[in-house]
Amino acid sequence: MILRAASFLALAYALGFVVFMLGLGQPLDDRRTDAIVVPTGGAGRIDRGLALMEDKRADRMLISGVDPSVRPIELAIAYRARPALFACCIDLGQDAIDTRSNGDETANWVRKHGYKSVRLVTADWHMARARLELDNALGGEVDVVGDPVRTNARFTTLFDEYNKLLIRRVALWIGFAG
């Protein structure tokens, strides 16, 4: 009986990993949302967010998890973006240090501005956990749509991220939100 249960868990784990990999997704269509949020930490994320802002796909953008020493003009120069765009429409969140605190920082920002829809821009392999954390922090009050940035993640990155996602899902399921 124990062997069957262990085999079932191993099979469920493996199938879950396959579903996770198949669900990495494509970038979102050009629909408009109230806001865009970009957690720092990977290539292409900020570029995608800036391109969406230039295309007027949202009114405002939060870049979450920015080092406290970074100023908006430095990011504008680094990403060859108009400084005026940063001045009017882009906020730097400088409190987040990980995916969970990205969700909390973003939820506070979304509530402050009263947004009802948010486009989450992050790496394809990071989307499921980032969205889980943001949905949890927002408590279902806001429509969150994922816009994954395509990557060529290594197998170990995918495997590690899948395990982090499972652990966090279980933690939330048993009531450990902190």
Side-chain angles (χ1 to χ4, degrees), residues 4-115:
R4 284 185 183 177
S7 297
F8 175 76
L9 287 175
L11 181 60
Y13 177 85
L15 288 175
F17 184 61
V18 169
V19 169
F20 170 77
M21 289 193 315
L22 293 174
L24 293 179
Q26 299 288 328
L28 190 62
D29 56 25
D30 289 334
R31 84 175 77 174
R32 185 167 164 65
T33 55
D34 295 335
I36 298 168
V37 62
V38 180
T40 58
R45 298 177 188 191
I46 294 174
D47 296 304
R48 173 76 175 148
L50 290 171
L52 291 164
M53 289 298 294
E54 289 289 352
D55 289 344
K56 301 187 183 337
R57 298 295 172 212
D59 296 327
R60 196 161 196 87
M61 182 169 88
L62 170 68
I63 304 173
S64 177
V66 177
D67 185 281
S69 66
V70 174
R71 298 176 319 176
I73 189 65
E74 293 170 323
L75 283 178
I77 292 168
Y79 287 93
R80 296 187 171 120
R82 295 180 300 114
L85 182 62
F86 274 82
C88 79
C89 310
I90 299 175
D91 297 317
L92 305 184
Q94 299 179 315
D95 295 329
I97 57 169
D98 58 16
T99 303
R100 189 179 321 161
S101 57
N102 283 133
D104 294 338
E105 180 173 69
T106 300
N108 292 334
W109 180 81
V110 166
R111 287 184 187 110
K112 174 183 170 187
H113 292 282
Y115 296 135

Side-chain angles (χ1 to χ4, degrees), residues 78 99 129 153 160:
T99 303
R129 189 163 57 96
D160 289 346

